[in-house]
Amino acid sequence: MVMAFVKSAVLVCLNVVLTVYLPRLWTTKRPVITGGTVQAGFEPVAKLFRENFENGVEFSTGGSAYAVYYKGTKVVDIWGGYADSEANRPWKEDTLSVLFSTTKGITSLCMLVLIDRGLIDLETTVASYWPEFAQNGKENVTVRMLLNHQAGLSYTSEKVTLALLEDQDALGEVLARAPLVWQPGTAHGYHSMTFGLYASQLLRRVDLKRRTLGQFFKEEIAQPCDLDVHIGLPLESFHRVARPTGNAVNVALALLYGLTTSPVNRQLLWAMFFGETDLPQIIESSGDTVEFSAYQRPETLALEQPSVFGVGTARAVAKVYGILANGGRTNDGHRLLSSDIIDRIISEANSDGSRDRTVGIVTVLNFGYFIGEFQGSPQFGHSGGGSVQGLADPQQKLGMSYVSSYSSIFSLTDDPRFTSLQEETYKCIKEPES
Protein backbone atom coordinates (compact mmCIF):
# COMPACT_ATOMS: atom_id res chain seq x y z
CA MET A 1 0.00 0.00 0.00
CA VAL A 2 2.81 2.38 0.94
CA MET A 3 4.75 1.62 -2.26
CA ALA A 4 1.65 2.25 -4.34
CA PHE A 5 1.19 5.58 -2.60
CA VAL A 6 4.85 6.52 -3.20
CA LYS A 7 4.57 5.66 -6.90
CA SER A 8 1.40 7.72 -7.19
CA ALA A 9 3.07 10.62 -5.39
CA VAL A 10 6.06 10.54 -7.75
CA LEU A 11 3.78 10.51 -10.79
CA VAL A 12 1.71 13.38 -9.47
CA CYS A 13 4.81 15.42 -8.60
CA LEU A 14 6.05 14.86 -12.15
CA ASN A 15 2.66 16.00 -13.37
CA VAL A 16 3.03 19.16 -11.27
CA VAL A 17 6.34 19.97 -12.90
CA LEU A 18 4.79 19.48 -16.33
CA THR A 19 1.66 21.48 -15.60
CA VAL A 20 3.03 24.22 -13.35
CA TYR A 21 6.55 24.99 -14.50
CA LEU A 22 6.87 24.02 -18.17
CA PRO A 23 4.13 26.47 -19.24
CA ARG A 24 6.26 29.28 -17.78
CA LEU A 25 8.82 28.66 -20.51
CA TRP A 26 6.27 29.84 -23.08
CA THR A 27 4.66 32.58 -20.98
CA THR A 28 5.15 36.05 -22.36
CA LYS A 29 7.19 38.07 -19.88
CA ARG A 30 5.05 40.92 -18.67
CA PRO A 31 6.29 44.34 -17.60
CA VAL A 32 6.73 44.62 -13.84
CA ILE A 33 4.14 47.06 -12.52
CA THR A 34 4.17 48.20 -8.90
CA GLY A 35 2.72 51.21 -7.14
CA GLY A 36 1.87 52.65 -3.76
CA THR A 37 3.53 54.56 -0.96
CA VAL A 38 5.65 53.92 2.12
CA GLN A 39 6.64 56.19 4.97
CA ALA A 40 10.27 57.10 5.53
CA GLY A 41 12.16 54.14 6.94
CA PHE A 42 10.05 51.53 5.16
CA GLU A 43 11.53 51.97 1.69
CA PRO A 44 13.24 48.54 1.87
CA VAL A 45 9.81 46.89 2.00
CA ALA A 46 8.73 48.51 -1.27
CA LYS A 47 12.09 47.66 -2.84
CA LEU A 48 11.74 43.99 -1.86
CA PHE A 49 8.14 43.88 -3.06
CA ARG A 50 9.22 44.97 -6.55
CA GLU A 51 12.18 42.59 -6.52
CA ASN A 52 9.82 39.72 -5.74
CA PHE A 53 8.08 40.43 -9.05
CA GLU A 54 11.33 40.86 -10.92
CA ASN A 55 12.91 37.67 -9.52
CA GLY A 56 9.93 35.35 -9.93
CA VAL A 57 8.98 35.06 -6.24
CA GLU A 58 5.71 36.69 -7.27
CA PHE A 59 3.94 35.13 -10.24
CA SER A 60 3.79 37.15 -13.45
CA THR A 61 0.20 36.04 -14.12
CA GLY A 62 -1.02 37.29 -10.77
CA GLY A 63 -1.08 40.40 -8.64
CA SER A 64 -0.65 41.20 -4.97
CA ALA A 65 -0.84 43.96 -2.40
CA TYR A 66 0.79 44.47 0.98
CA ALA A 67 -0.05 46.97 3.70
CA VAL A 68 1.21 47.73 7.20
CA TYR A 69 -0.11 49.84 10.07
CA TYR A 70 2.40 50.74 12.77
CA LYS A 71 1.34 52.40 16.02
CA GLY A 72 -2.01 53.18 14.41
CA THR A 73 -0.54 54.84 11.31
CA LYS A 74 -0.39 53.43 7.78
CA VAL A 75 3.28 53.08 6.88
CA VAL A 76 3.16 50.68 3.91
CA ASP A 77 0.54 50.57 1.15
CA ILE A 78 1.89 48.90 -2.00
CA TRP A 79 0.55 46.82 -4.86
CA GLY A 80 1.72 45.25 -8.10
CA GLY A 81 1.13 42.80 -10.91
CA TYR A 82 -2.18 42.10 -12.59
CA ALA A 83 -5.70 41.90 -11.25
CA ASP A 84 -6.54 39.92 -14.38
CA SER A 85 -3.61 38.97 -16.60
CA GLU A 86 -5.85 37.52 -19.32
CA ALA A 87 -7.56 40.90 -19.70
CA ASN A 88 -4.24 42.71 -19.15
CA ARG A 89 -5.84 44.55 -16.22
CA PRO A 90 -3.20 45.85 -13.80
CA TRP A 91 -3.61 45.83 -10.04
CA LYS A 92 -4.70 49.28 -8.90
CA GLU A 93 -5.00 51.15 -5.64
CA ASP A 94 -8.69 50.20 -5.26
CA THR A 95 -8.39 46.58 -6.46
CA LEU A 96 -10.23 44.15 -4.19
CA SER A 97 -9.09 40.62 -3.44
CA VAL A 98 -11.02 37.54 -2.37
CA LEU A 99 -9.95 36.96 1.24
CA PHE A 100 -10.86 33.27 1.45
CA SER A 101 -10.41 32.11 5.09
CA THR A 102 -8.97 35.44 6.19
CA THR A 103 -12.67 36.35 6.21
CA LYS A 104 -12.94 34.40 9.47
CA GLY A 105 -10.71 36.92 11.20
CA ILE A 106 -13.26 39.61 10.31
CA THR A 107 -16.06 37.33 11.50
CA SER A 108 -14.27 36.79 14.81
CA LEU A 109 -13.98 40.55 15.23
CA CYS A 110 -17.77 40.88 14.94
CA MET A 111 -18.21 38.30 17.68
CA LEU A 112 -15.70 40.07 19.93
CA VAL A 113 -17.60 43.32 19.48
CA LEU A 114 -20.78 41.56 20.67
CA ILE A 115 -18.92 40.14 23.67
CA ASP A 116 -17.39 43.52 24.46
CA ARG A 117 -20.86 45.08 24.43
CA GLY A 118 -22.23 42.45 26.79
CA LEU A 119 -24.59 40.91 24.24
CA ILE A 120 -22.89 37.50 24.31
CA ASP A 121 -21.09 35.71 27.16
CA LEU A 122 -18.27 33.29 26.36
CA GLU A 123 -19.28 30.73 28.96
CA THR A 124 -22.99 30.71 28.06
CA THR A 125 -24.30 27.96 25.80
CA VAL A 126 -25.09 28.80 22.19
CA ALA A 127 -28.53 27.23 22.72
CA SER A 128 -29.33 29.90 25.35
CA TYR A 129 -29.41 32.42 22.52
CA TRP A 130 -30.52 30.00 19.79
CA PRO A 131 -32.78 27.29 21.28
CA GLU A 132 -33.07 25.24 18.05
CA PHE A 133 -29.29 24.75 18.14
CA ALA A 134 -29.64 22.27 21.00
CA GLN A 135 -30.63 19.42 18.65
CA ASN A 136 -28.50 16.27 18.35
CA GLY A 137 -26.47 16.70 21.52
CA LYS A 138 -25.36 20.31 21.04
CA GLU A 139 -27.06 21.70 24.14
CA ASN A 140 -23.78 22.06 26.08
CA VAL A 141 -21.75 23.82 23.35
CA THR A 142 -20.62 27.18 24.72
CA VAL A 143 -19.80 30.33 22.79
CA ARG A 144 -16.15 29.89 23.76
CA MET A 145 -16.12 26.36 22.29
CA LEU A 146 -17.62 27.66 19.07
CA LEU A 147 -15.06 30.48 18.74
CA ASN A 148 -12.18 28.15 19.66
CA HIS A 149 -13.13 25.56 17.02
CA GLN A 150 -13.89 23.04 19.78
CA ALA A 151 -17.62 22.68 19.11
CA GLY A 152 -17.38 19.48 17.04
CA LEU A 153 -19.18 21.10 14.11
CA SER A 154 -16.46 21.21 11.45
CA TYR A 155 -18.87 19.78 8.86
CA THR A 156 -22.58 19.11 8.48
CA SER A 157 -24.49 15.98 7.54
CA GLU A 158 -26.52 17.94 4.97
CA LYS A 159 -24.69 19.71 2.16
CA VAL A 160 -24.34 23.47 2.40
CA THR A 161 -24.76 24.77 -1.15
CA LEU A 162 -24.76 28.17 -2.81
CA ALA A 163 -28.53 27.90 -3.17
CA LEU A 164 -28.88 27.31 0.58
CA LEU A 165 -26.79 30.39 1.36
CA GLU A 166 -29.50 32.48 -0.32
CA ASP A 167 -32.01 31.52 2.41
CA GLN A 168 -30.72 32.40 5.88
CA ASP A 169 -33.69 30.82 7.66
CA ALA A 170 -33.32 27.50 5.84
CA LEU A 171 -29.56 27.60 6.40
CA GLY A 172 -30.14 28.11 10.12
CA GLU A 173 -32.37 25.04 10.24
CA VAL A 174 -29.72 22.89 8.54
CA LEU A 175 -27.03 24.09 10.94
CA ALA A 176 -29.28 23.55 13.97
CA ARG A 177 -30.00 19.94 12.89
CA ALA A 178 -26.34 19.08 12.34
CA PRO A 179 -25.00 16.26 14.55
CA LEU A 180 -21.71 16.50 16.41
CA VAL A 181 -18.50 15.29 14.79
CA TRP A 182 -16.83 14.93 18.21
CA GLN A 183 -17.76 15.62 21.83
CA PRO A 184 -17.58 19.40 22.34
CA GLY A 185 -14.61 20.62 24.34
CA THR A 186 -12.62 17.39 24.06
CA ALA A 187 -10.66 18.37 20.94
CA HIS A 188 -10.25 21.18 18.45
CA GLY A 189 -10.54 21.10 14.70
CA TYR A 190 -10.52 24.02 12.32
CA HIS A 191 -14.15 24.73 11.30
CA SER A 192 -12.98 25.91 7.88
CA MET A 193 -16.38 26.25 6.19
CA THR A 194 -18.85 26.25 9.09
CA PHE A 195 -17.30 28.75 11.52
CA GLY A 196 -18.70 31.85 9.87
CA LEU A 197 -22.09 30.27 9.19
CA TYR A 198 -22.66 29.39 12.84
CA ALA A 199 -21.31 32.76 13.97
CA SER A 200 -23.72 34.62 11.69
CA GLN A 201 -26.73 32.62 12.85
CA LEU A 202 -25.79 33.28 16.48
CA LEU A 203 -25.30 36.99 15.78
CA ARG A 204 -28.74 37.22 14.12
CA ARG A 205 -30.31 36.07 17.37
CA VAL A 206 -28.50 38.44 19.73
CA ASP A 207 -28.25 41.57 17.59
CA LEU A 208 -31.02 43.98 18.49
CA LYS A 209 -31.65 44.68 14.77
CA ARG A 210 -31.52 40.97 13.81
CA ARG A 211 -28.91 41.67 11.14
CA THR A 212 -26.78 39.09 9.39
CA LEU A 213 -23.09 39.13 10.19
CA GLY A 214 -22.27 40.85 6.91
CA GLN A 215 -24.79 43.60 7.59
CA PHE A 216 -23.57 44.00 11.17
CA PHE A 217 -19.96 44.25 10.05
CA LYS A 218 -20.80 46.87 7.42
CA GLU A 219 -22.79 49.12 9.74
CA GLU A 220 -20.94 48.68 13.03
CA ILE A 221 -17.33 48.27 11.92
CA ALA A 222 -16.59 48.86 8.22
CA GLN A 223 -18.38 52.18 7.81
CA PRO A 224 -17.26 53.79 11.11
CA CYS A 225 -13.65 52.70 10.51
CA ASP A 226 -13.68 53.38 6.72
CA LEU A 227 -12.80 49.79 5.76
CA ASP A 228 -13.04 48.57 2.18
CA VAL A 229 -13.97 45.03 3.25
CA HIS A 230 -17.22 43.27 2.39
CA ILE A 231 -19.00 40.12 3.51
CA GLY A 232 -21.63 40.11 0.80
CA LEU A 233 -20.03 42.14 -1.98
CA PRO A 234 -22.32 44.63 -3.76
CA LEU A 235 -22.65 43.61 -7.42
CA GLU A 236 -21.62 47.06 -8.57
CA SER A 237 -18.21 46.60 -6.90
CA PHE A 238 -17.34 43.32 -8.60
CA HIS A 239 -15.43 45.08 -11.41
CA ARG A 240 -12.76 45.93 -8.84
CA VAL A 241 -12.16 42.32 -7.79
CA ALA A 242 -8.93 40.61 -8.86
CA ARG A 243 -9.62 37.36 -10.70
CA PRO A 244 -8.50 34.40 -8.54
CA THR A 245 -6.12 32.14 -10.39
CA GLY A 246 -3.19 29.79 -9.79
CA ASN A 247 -2.64 26.35 -8.39
CA ALA A 248 -5.70 26.31 -6.18
CA VAL A 249 -7.48 24.90 -9.23
CA ASN A 250 -5.72 21.64 -8.46
CA VAL A 251 -5.28 21.28 -4.71
CA ALA A 252 -4.02 17.70 -4.95
CA LEU A 253 -1.18 18.72 -7.26
CA ALA A 254 -0.29 21.66 -5.08
CA LEU A 255 -0.20 19.55 -1.93
CA LEU A 256 1.91 16.84 -3.46
CA TYR A 257 4.37 19.27 -4.95
CA GLY A 258 4.47 20.85 -1.52
CA LEU A 259 6.10 17.67 -0.21
CA THR A 260 9.40 19.13 -1.39
CA THR A 261 8.71 22.81 -0.72
CA SER A 262 6.50 23.19 2.36
CA PRO A 263 6.89 21.45 5.75
CA VAL A 264 3.29 22.31 6.60
CA ASN A 265 2.04 20.71 3.39
CA ARG A 266 4.06 17.59 4.21
CA GLN A 267 2.37 17.29 7.59
CA LEU A 268 -1.08 17.84 6.12
CA LEU A 269 -0.55 15.27 3.38
CA TRP A 270 0.76 12.77 5.93
CA ALA A 271 -2.36 13.28 8.05
CA MET A 272 -4.59 12.78 4.99
CA PHE A 273 -2.74 9.60 4.04
CA PHE A 274 -3.32 8.07 7.49
CA GLY A 275 -6.90 9.35 7.82
CA GLU A 276 -6.03 11.77 10.62
CA THR A 277 -7.96 14.70 9.18
CA ASP A 278 -11.62 15.46 8.58
CA LEU A 279 -10.82 17.48 5.46
CA PRO A 280 -12.44 15.04 2.97
CA GLN A 281 -15.74 15.18 4.87
CA ILE A 282 -15.55 18.98 5.06
CA ILE A 283 -15.09 19.25 1.30
CA GLU A 284 -17.92 16.82 0.63
CA SER A 285 -20.39 18.60 2.93
CA SER A 286 -19.54 22.02 1.48
CA GLY A 287 -20.93 21.20 -1.96
CA ASP A 288 -20.44 23.81 -4.66
CA THR A 289 -19.29 26.47 -2.17
CA VAL A 290 -15.73 25.11 -2.39
CA GLU A 291 -15.51 24.99 -6.18
CA PHE A 292 -12.75 27.39 -7.24
CA SER A 293 -14.87 28.82 -10.04
CA ALA A 294 -17.40 30.01 -7.47
CA TYR A 295 -14.92 32.62 -6.22
CA GLN A 296 -14.74 34.14 -9.70
CA ARG A 297 -18.45 34.96 -9.99
CA PRO A 298 -20.18 38.15 -8.77
CA GLU A 299 -23.37 36.37 -7.70
CA THR A 300 -21.35 34.09 -5.42
CA LEU A 301 -19.37 36.83 -3.71
CA ALA A 302 -22.64 38.71 -3.15
CA LEU A 303 -23.72 35.87 -0.85
CA GLU A 304 -22.84 35.90 2.83
CA GLN A 305 -20.52 33.02 3.66
CA PRO A 306 -18.57 34.60 6.53
CA SER A 307 -16.03 31.78 6.50
CA VAL A 308 -14.58 32.33 3.04
CA PHE A 309 -16.47 34.77 0.77
CA GLY A 310 -15.06 38.02 2.18
CA VAL A 311 -13.59 40.56 -0.24
CA GLY A 312 -11.33 43.49 0.58
CA THR A 313 -8.08 45.36 0.13
CA ALA A 314 -4.81 44.65 1.93
CA ARG A 315 -5.01 48.25 3.18
CA ALA A 316 -8.33 47.63 4.90
CA VAL A 317 -7.36 44.28 6.45
CA ALA A 318 -4.09 45.75 7.72
CA LYS A 319 -6.07 48.62 9.25
CA VAL A 320 -8.31 46.15 11.10
CA TYR A 321 -5.33 44.40 12.63
CA GLY A 322 -3.55 47.70 13.16
CA ILE A 323 -6.47 48.86 15.29
CA LEU A 324 -6.40 45.62 17.28
CA ALA A 325 -2.62 45.91 17.75
CA ASN A 326 -3.10 49.51 18.90
CA GLY A 327 -5.34 48.64 21.84
CA GLY A 328 -8.62 48.66 19.93
CA ARG A 329 -8.59 52.36 19.00
CA THR A 330 -7.94 54.33 15.86
CA ASN A 331 -5.59 57.31 16.07
CA ASP A 332 -8.56 59.64 15.64
CA GLY A 333 -10.12 58.31 18.85
CA HIS A 334 -12.72 55.81 17.60
CA ARG A 335 -12.87 52.80 19.92
CA LEU A 336 -13.59 49.47 18.25
CA LEU A 337 -12.81 47.11 21.13
CA SER A 338 -11.57 47.38 24.70
CA SER A 339 -7.89 46.66 25.23
CA ASP A 340 -8.81 44.03 27.83
CA ILE A 341 -10.55 41.70 25.41
CA ILE A 342 -7.74 42.14 22.88
CA ASP A 343 -5.17 41.18 25.52
CA ARG A 344 -7.15 38.01 26.25
CA ILE A 345 -6.84 36.80 22.65
CA ILE A 346 -3.22 35.87 23.36
CA SER A 347 -3.18 35.55 27.16
CA GLU A 348 -6.00 32.97 27.29
CA ALA A 349 -4.73 30.89 24.36
CA ASN A 350 -4.10 27.27 25.33
CA SER A 351 -0.87 25.93 23.83
CA ASP A 352 -1.32 22.29 24.87
CA GLY A 353 0.33 20.77 21.79
CA SER A 354 -2.81 19.01 20.63
CA ARG A 355 -3.33 18.14 16.97
CA ASP A 356 -6.00 19.89 14.97
CA ARG A 357 -8.54 17.34 13.71
CA THR A 358 -9.03 19.20 10.44
CA VAL A 359 -5.54 20.12 9.29
CA GLY A 360 -3.79 17.23 11.05
CA ILE A 361 -1.10 19.37 12.67
CA VAL A 362 -0.67 21.20 15.98
CA THR A 363 -2.48 24.54 15.99
CA VAL A 364 -3.40 27.07 18.67
CA LEU A 365 -6.74 28.88 18.28
CA ASN A 366 -8.44 31.36 20.58
CA PHE A 367 -11.41 33.68 20.10
CA GLY A 368 -11.44 32.63 16.43
CA TYR A 369 -7.82 33.58 15.73
CA PHE A 370 -4.69 31.53 15.12
CA ILE A 371 -2.01 32.30 17.69
CA GLY A 372 1.67 32.35 16.78
CA GLU A 373 4.82 34.42 17.10
CA PHE A 374 7.51 36.01 14.97
CA GLN A 375 10.98 36.84 16.24
CA GLY A 376 9.77 36.49 19.80
CA SER A 377 6.70 38.72 19.39
CA PRO A 378 3.29 37.04 19.91
CA GLN A 379 0.91 37.41 16.97
CA PHE A 380 -2.72 36.62 16.29
CA GLY A 381 -4.61 36.68 13.02
CA HIS A 382 -6.00 34.56 10.23
CA SER A 383 -4.56 33.34 6.95
CA GLY A 384 -6.50 32.29 3.88
CA GLY A 385 -6.23 30.55 0.54
CA GLY A 386 -3.80 32.11 -1.90
CA SER A 387 -1.60 32.90 1.13
CA VAL A 388 -3.81 35.85 2.11
CA GLN A 389 -2.75 37.12 5.52
CA GLY A 390 -4.09 39.32 8.28
CA LEU A 391 -1.93 39.62 11.41
CA ALA A 392 -1.67 41.70 14.56
CA ASP A 393 1.39 42.03 16.80
CA PRO A 394 0.23 43.99 19.88
CA GLN A 395 3.72 44.03 21.39
CA GLN A 396 5.08 45.90 18.37
CA LYS A 397 1.76 47.69 17.67
CA LEU A 398 1.89 46.24 14.17
CA GLY A 399 -0.93 45.26 11.80
CA MET A 400 -0.13 43.60 8.46
CA SER A 401 -1.97 42.15 5.48
CA TYR A 402 -0.91 40.49 2.26
CA VAL A 403 -3.43 39.62 -0.45
CA SER A 404 -2.92 38.01 -3.85
CA SER A 405 -4.92 36.82 -6.81
CA TYR A 406 -2.54 33.90 -7.34
CA SER A 407 -2.85 30.82 -5.13
CA SER A 408 0.62 29.35 -4.84
CA ILE A 409 1.84 25.84 -4.04
CA PHE A 410 2.97 26.85 -0.57
CA SER A 411 0.96 26.44 2.60
CA LEU A 412 -0.82 29.28 4.33
CA THR A 413 2.10 30.01 6.65
CA ASP A 414 5.31 29.60 4.64
CA ASP A 415 4.75 31.39 1.33
CA PRO A 416 7.93 33.40 0.61
CA ARG A 417 5.87 36.13 -1.07
CA PHE A 418 4.57 37.11 2.38
CA THR A 419 7.27 35.81 4.73
CA SER A 420 9.96 37.87 2.98
CA LEU A 421 7.89 41.05 3.33
CA GLN A 422 7.09 40.33 6.97
CA GLU A 423 10.77 39.85 7.78
CA GLU A 424 11.71 43.09 6.03
CA THR A 425 8.95 44.94 7.88
CA TYR A 426 10.25 43.82 11.26
CA LYS A 427 13.74 44.92 10.26
CA CYS A 428 12.39 48.37 9.47
CA ILE A 429 10.59 48.85 12.78
CA LYS A 430 13.61 47.68 14.77
CA GLU A 431 16.18 49.68 12.78
CA PRO A 432 15.79 52.92 14.80
CA GLU A 433 16.46 50.98 17.98
CA SER A 434 19.80 49.59 16.78
Side-chain angles (χ1 to χ4, degrees), residues 126-290:
V126 175
S128 297
Y129 306 106
W130 178 11
E132 297 82 3
F133 177 85
Q135 299 176 60
N136 287 320
K138 300 194 296 296
E139 63 274 4
N140 294 322
V141 174
T142 65
V143 173
R144 184 187 292 273
M145 290 176 188
L146 186 65
L147 292 184
N148 288 2
H149 297 255
Q150 297 174 335
L153 295 168
S154 56
Y155 58 89
T156 56
S157 56
E158 301 173 64
K159 281 190 178 182
V160 175
T161 63
L162 293 172
L164 185 60
L165 293 180
E166 296 179 4
D167 188 335
Q168 288 290 322
D169 292 333
L171 174 61
E173 293 172 3
V174 167
L175 296 174
R177 287 195 298 266
L180 294 168
V181 178
W182 67 83
Q183 193 60 32
T186 62
H188 77 284
Y190 180 44
H191 290 39
S192 58
M193 298 299 291
T194 57
F195 179 86
L197 300 178
Y198 276 107
S200 185
Q201 291 293 328
L202 175 57
L203 185 147
R204 289 179 67 205
R205 288 157 175 82
V206 300
D207 176 47
L208 300 178
K209 297 181 181 179
R210 297 296 184 262
R211 290 167 289 188
T212 61
L213 190 141
Q215 293 168 332
F216 179 90
F217 171 71
K218 176 182 177 181
E219 296 171 12
E220 300 294 332
I221 301 174
Q223 290 178 340
C225 295
D226 190 25
L227 302 172
D228 196 2
V229 178
H230 312 267
I231 299 178
L233 180 71
L235 292 175
E236 61 270 21
S237 296
F238 181 76
H239 71 281
R240 295 198 286 134
V241 179
R243 181 175 179 268
T245 185
N247 293 315
V249 298
N250 197 327
V251 177
L253 292 181
L255 280 175
L256 284 170
Y257 181 77
L259 281 169
T260 60
T261 59
S262 169
V264 178
N265 278 354
R266 279 198 293 274
Q267 294 178 63
L268 176 56
L269 187 63
W270 190 258
M272 291 176 66
F273 176 59
F274 285 103
E276 296 176 348
T277 168
D278 295 328
L279 197 55
Q281 295 93 323
I282 291 172
I283 294 173
E284 172 64 23
S285 67
S286 300
D288 55 0
T289 66
V290 293

Side-chain angles (χ1 to χ4, degrees), residues 65-68 313-315 317-318 388-391 399-403 418:
Y66 180 62
V68 178
T313 63
R315 180 184 315 109
V317 177
V388 178
Q389 296 284 347
L391 284 170
M400 298 172 287
S401 177
Y402 172 86
V403 303
F418 167 71

